[in-house]
Amino acid sequence: MALNSLSVRALRRSATIILAGGLLSGTAVAEPRSYTIDPDHFSIGFKVEHIGYASILGLFLKGTGEFVYDEETRQLVSGRVVVAADSAFSNHKARDNHIRESDFLDAKHYPEIIFEATGYTPTSPASGKLAGKLTLLGQTRPVSLDITLNKAASYPFGHGRHTLGLSASTTIRRSQWGMNYGVERALVGDEVLLNFEFEATKQNAQPPK
């Protein structure tokens, strides 16, 4: 029995739907998840030259952060880190007070240093470039960080949740944010190396039994 043109079109349409469904079932589906940086395992370091003799090493002792990321596709949806400016520490009380004052961080008027992620580009299975915007002294400028994934696994004790261990670093010129003290006379370096070491825990996931 011959098929009419209407039946042929219907069969073709059904075949197309079946084929498309088969292709889609084999395609990885993005599943971004929220991660929170563990404040107990979050180190924020800085390094800046002092009159050419040596470099001052310091830490910011208070910081929080979270991001939304898909491990399967390695796509970053969003990310935000907030650092307390008045938590700067260099193991010297007078110097720390100076760092927090208007010559440098001006923590009284700008209590938060904020980084907002804008994109992530993988460069290898365990590394990549993180683009974002850094707000310092009320001014926002683009920055790029080198990222290394050290480990991704369920935590071996405690909360037992899936955790990412990450290292990040970048070098900024503080004068670009208007922090000019000591630059002209080379008393304090313009370049500041920033290092971040942290563990980030996946949210909304049940720990293994």
Side-chain angles (χ1 to χ4, degrees):
M1 180 177 177
L3 294 173
N4 58 37
S5 60
L6 182 60
S7 298
V8 171
R9 287 198 298 272
L11 286 172
R12 286 176 178 171
R13 186 162 54 249
S14 297
T16 300
I17 293 172
I18 292 171
L19 178 60
L23 290 173
L24 287 174
S25 65
T27 302
V29 178
E31 188 180 358
R33 301 295 294 268
S34 296
Y35 292 80
T36 298
I37 296 177
D38 181 353
D40 293 331
H41 298 93
F42 190 11
S43 298
I44 309 162
F46 62 86
K47 177 181 177 181
V48 60
E49 189 179 82
H50 181 245
I51 326 177
Y53 289 110
S55 292
I56 298 298
L57 302 176
L59 293 168
F60 287 96
L61 302 180
K62 296 179 182 178
T64 61
E66 64 279 326
F67 56 91
V68 179
Y69 178 66
D70 187 336
E71 277 193 81
E72 186 68 29
T73 63
R74 303 178 69 192
Q75 293 180 338
L76 181 72
V77 178
S78 63
R80 177 181 170 89
V81 169
V82 179
V83 178
D86 66 0
S87 71
F89 171 79
S90 67
N91 200 32
H92 187 282
K93 186 175 181 179
R95 180 172 57 224
D96 292 348
N97 288 335
H98 190 195
I99 291 171
R100 297 165 188 165
E101 291 172 353
S102 58
D103 283 339
F104 292 100
L105 295 172
D106 198 4
K108 181 178 179 180
H109 295 100
Y110 304 101
E112 293 183 338
I113 301 167
I114 301 172
F115 172 78
E116 296 274 2
T118 57
Y120 177 69
T121 303
T123 56
S124 79
S127 63
K129 295 282 188 179
L130 178 64
K133 296 179 179 180
L134 179 65
T135 300
L136 178 64
L137 294 175
Q139 300 183 43
T140 303
R141 300 280 185 273
V143 294
S144 177
L145 290 83
D146 295 315
I147 300 288
T148 299
L149 174 63
N150 303 312
K151 186 174 183 177
S154 296
Y155 217 64
F157 51 83
H159 56 69
R161 294 180 181 275
H162 185 72
T163 300
L164 305 182
L166 295 153
S167 300
S169 65
T170 188
T171 298
I172 66 170
R173 289 188 176 275
R174 59 190 178 91
S175 60
Q176 293 183 331
W177 283 263
M179 191 187 298
N180 298 307
Y181 178 86
V183 172
E184 186 176 350
R185 296 173 58 195
L187 298 177
V188 183
D190 189 15
E191 290 190 347
V192 181
L193 172 64
L194 300 172
N195 284 314
F196 305 85
E197 298 286 336
F198 58 96
E199 298 174 6
T201 305
K202 183 186 286 187
Q203 303 301 298
N204 303 319
Q206 293 297 322
K209 295 180 180 180

